[in-house]
Every structure is written in C-alpha cells, then in structure tokens.
Amino acid sequence: MTTESLTVGVLALQGAFIEHIHMLKRIPEVKEVIPVRTEEQLNSVDCLIIPGGESTAMALIAERCNMLEPLRKFVQKKPTWGTCAGMIMLAKEATGAKKGGQQLFNALDVVVNRNQFGSQKESFQTMLHLPELVGEEPFAAVFIRAPVIKEIKSPKVKIVGRLEQKHGQTEAETAIAVLEDHLFATAFHPELTSDDRLHRFFVNMSLKYKQQN
C-alpha cells in the first residue's frame, strides 16, 4: 500500500455505520473500507470511525465481543473519529449516563454530556461554520439525541466547532467539535448528509498521520 491511500475502518457493532461506509467509498484516497467487528479487522485498518448510535448498547456489545480493550488500545495510537455516540465513546468521562455508568474508550480528554438536547423529537439541523475543517462554506449539521462537550480537561484539546445559536437550554458557543492529536470528535451526524467534506478532512488527517509515523 502506498502512503497516498488508506484502509479505513468503521466500527460496525451498532449504529449508523453503513452511511459512513457509503460516504468513504466516494473518496479517492480511500483504498478500502472495512466494517470492523473483530480484533483482526481492527488491526488491519489505518484509522477508525466510531459512528452514531446508542453509546450504552455500543459499549455492551464491544464488551461482549471482547473488543473493549482492543479498541481502547487502538484509539490511543491511531487516528479515530467519533460522531455523536462515537464522541461519547471516545471521551474519558461522560455525564448523563444510566445508573452505574457505562464503559468508554477513555482517550479524548473531555467530559461529554449525553443526550444534551433531549429525546428524538428534539432533533434538529443547523448550519455551522467550520473553517478549519471544511473551508468557508457552512456545513448542514444533523443533531439527533446529540451530546456536547461539557468540559475540556487538557490544553491539547482544540475546539474546532461551536453551536451558532441557542437550541433549547443549550447555549450558543457550546463546543460540538474538537481535535486532540490524532483524535477527532463531532456531536452531530455528517454521514446523514450528502456533504462529504468532514469525511475528506478525516481522511486527509489520517494520511498525514500515516506519513509521519
């Protein structure tokens, strides 16, 4: 494999993984997309997307499939993008979890608040300006039972996206997209749009990481 192409994994234990796979197949630099369900598949990819879905169910399935520790090791060292529930899974800490809490992949140095905006009926779409990620053209972001970044725990975490207007009890300027070294997290579902700019950003970020390591 050349350094100009990538094998991208999409965690396929639960959630909206098919939509990510379809989006990635449009990007020329992506040599292969692998739905990841086993440790062997995980070890064959250059980078990983953790999709939206139900974070509690995702954690339970990962534990049952003996994937929790392999995933924790992977996200410490290789480019990983968590979207919505995936952002929760990447975090070191989450609030709003069910009694007893839930397992997390323990990588992104933030506190995430689950279901920040309420139930499915509080879902919404809003335009975001994400110039560092996709250029000047606004991005139509879909929020479905979405989390937010409640607290940044390390100076290495960079906020690259914020809400631009108040939604319910959630104030404008609340952080909804962050970068930390090889980790990327968004509170919304870019795979549910026809806009592949964030997927291209992650692919380019992962290519740079591969070339440097």
Side-chain angles (χ1 to χ4, degrees):
M1 187 190 301
T2 69
T3 52
E4 286 73 42
S5 68
L6 281 178
T7 299
V8 183
V10 181
L11 188 63
L13 300 179
Q14 193 268 345
F17 56 88
I18 292 290
E19 292 84 353
H20 279 293
I21 290 168
H22 290 329
M23 193 76 86
L24 288 163
K25 285 182 175 178
R26 293 161 43 178
I27 301 175
E29 294 83 1
V30 176
K31 179 184 179 183
E32 187 179 6
V33 187
I34 296 177
V36 171
R37 297 183 177 92
T38 68
E39 186 173 358
E40 184 180 11
Q41 290 167 332
L42 183 64
N43 291 336
S44 72
V45 302
D46 298 307
C47 56
L48 182 70
I49 294 176
I50 306 169
E54 216 298 308
S55 61
T56 309
M58 204 179 290
L60 288 169
I61 296 165
E63 200 167 13
R64 208 157 49 228
C65 297
N66 296 315
M67 283 290 284
L68 206 52
E69 287 312 314
L71 282 161
R72 281 179 175 152
K73 286 177 185 170
F74 184 97
V75 302
Q76 297 297 332
K77 61 186 182 184
K78 287 201 175 181
T80 306
W81 175 19
T83 64
C84 196
M87 182 170 92
I88 298 168
M89 295 305 302
L90 268 186
K92 288 190 175 178
E93 190 178 338
T95 60
K98 291 173 183 171
K99 190 174 180 183
Q102 70 175 81
Q103 299 278 12
L104 301 171
F105 297 155
N106 199 33
L108 189 65
D109 213 352
V110 297
V111 181
V112 173
N113 192 42
R114 298 167 83 252
N115 293 351
Q116 170 75 20
F117 302 94
S119 67
Q120 192 95 359
K121 69 178 188 293
E122 274 80 50
S123 300
F124 63 95
Q125 181 171 311
T126 188
M127 301 305 289
L128 299 177
H129 289 84
L130 308 167
E132 293 176 74
L133 306 177
V134 298
E136 295 305 318
E137 189 72 27
F139 191 94
V142 178
F143 288 78
I144 302 171
R145 295 180 65 212
V148 297
I149 305 286
K150 187 177 179 183
E151 187 181 348
I152 303 286
K153 305 284 278 188
S154 165
K156 293 168 76 176
V157 178
K158 181 182 184 184
I159 298 170
V160 287
R162 296 179 183 271
L163 278 180
E164 296 177 22
Q165 54 188 297
K166 185 173 180 176
H167 287 275
Q169 299 304 306
T170 306
E171 297 295 334
E173 295 301 304
T174 299
I176 43 78
V178 292
L179 287 166
E180 182 186 357
D181 297 330
H182 59 287
L183 301 173
F184 178 37
T186 55
F188 49 93
H189 286 266
E191 78 284 2
L192 299 183
T193 73
S194 59
D195 191 336
D196 65 5
R197 286 178 294 161
L198 278 175
H199 287 78
R200 290 178 183 274
F201 168 81
F202 179 65
V203 165
N204 288 331
M205 169 186 140
S206 300
L207 275 171
K208 283 179 192 164
Y209 184 88
K210 184 178 177 183
Q211 288 159 1
Q212 291 165 4
N213 290 275

